[in-house]
Amino acid sequence: MSDQNERFDPELFVREAYAVAERMDLEAWSSLFTDDGIFTDQSVRITYRGRDDLQYPVRNYGTAFGDMHRELYDVWTLDDTVIVRLALQGTHTGPLETPFGIIPPTGKTMDAPCADIFELENGKIKRFDCFPEGSVILTQLGVISNLEAAIRS
């Protein structure tokens, strides 16, 4: 193991990645990934790859929730894998793009459970699997009971 690897702290790296996302520093966010790194939103089974694609989910949620916050509860590290239990929190003040259409701002808040798994390689994100609880988000935004009326294409 090299000295560089001994100094690399996977948990600290992931905590900083969350801070970068909260600042909406999209260039810095995409630079955290390996050249072939991927981000999968498991709630909608969409995988993002490449600089612009990797920026999309952070931009989308930051636009929809102007005060977007990721409250980290637990962080576990096993070698180059970091698992995080967290909550996605914010007020829905902008349009939220979904695979089904756009949800206009509701003004409601979300505090939804989420779990994230980061696989790191050479100090960067090789794979990021995000498991946000989509049904909780939609319920808290008041759209789950009438999805057809809440979404416009």
Side-chain angles (χ1 to χ4, degrees):
M1 184 184 272
S2 73
D3 289 340
Q4 183 180 8
N5 286 341
E6 289 175 331
R7 288 190 299 257
F8 179 73
D9 183 334
E11 178 180 338
L12 186 60
F13 174 83
V14 166
R15 286 181 181 276
E16 179 56 26
Y18 284 115
V20 166
E22 290 210 1
R23 289 192 306 267
M24 290 278 295
D25 186 342
L26 301 177
E27 288 298 324
W29 170 255
S30 57
S31 76
L32 296 173
F33 287 79
T34 61
D35 289 342
D36 60 346
I38 62 171
F39 174 161
T40 302
D41 179 339
Q42 296 291 349
S43 70
V44 290
R45 304 293 293 172
I46 295 177
T47 298
Y48 305 95
R49 40 177 67 82
R51 184 182 73 75
D52 293 337
D53 218 22
L54 289 166
Q55 293 175 5
Y56 172 79
V58 173
R59 182 185 313 106
N60 185 35
Y61 272 84
T63 298
F65 301 91
D67 59 351
M68 182 72 189
H69 175 64
R70 295 149 183 92
E71 183 68 30
L72 309 185
Y73 296 123
D74 296 299
V75 180
W76 299 278
T77 302
L78 178 61
D79 300 323
D80 286 332
T81 300
V82 179
I83 303 163
V84 183
R85 187 177 66 87
L86 67 150
L88 302 177
Q89 302 170 332
T91 306
H92 187 207
T93 56
L96 177 62
E97 294 182 25
T98 75
F100 320 105
I102 297 170
I103 302 173
T106 62
K108 297 185 179 199
T109 59
M110 75 162 170
D111 185 358
C114 183
D116 290 339
I117 302 171
F118 294 85
E119 292 179 31
L120 308 177
E121 182 179 273
N122 298 320
K124 292 202 171 214
I125 301 166
K126 172 77 172 174
R127 179 184 181 117
F128 171 31
D129 286 305
C130 180
F131 296 86
E133 184 47 72
S135 62
V136 171
I137 294 170
L138 294 175
T139 298
Q140 291 175 348
L141 297 183
V143 299
I144 196 83
S145 61
N146 191 358
L147 284 176
E148 189 174 314
I151 296 177
R152 61 182 155 92
S153 355

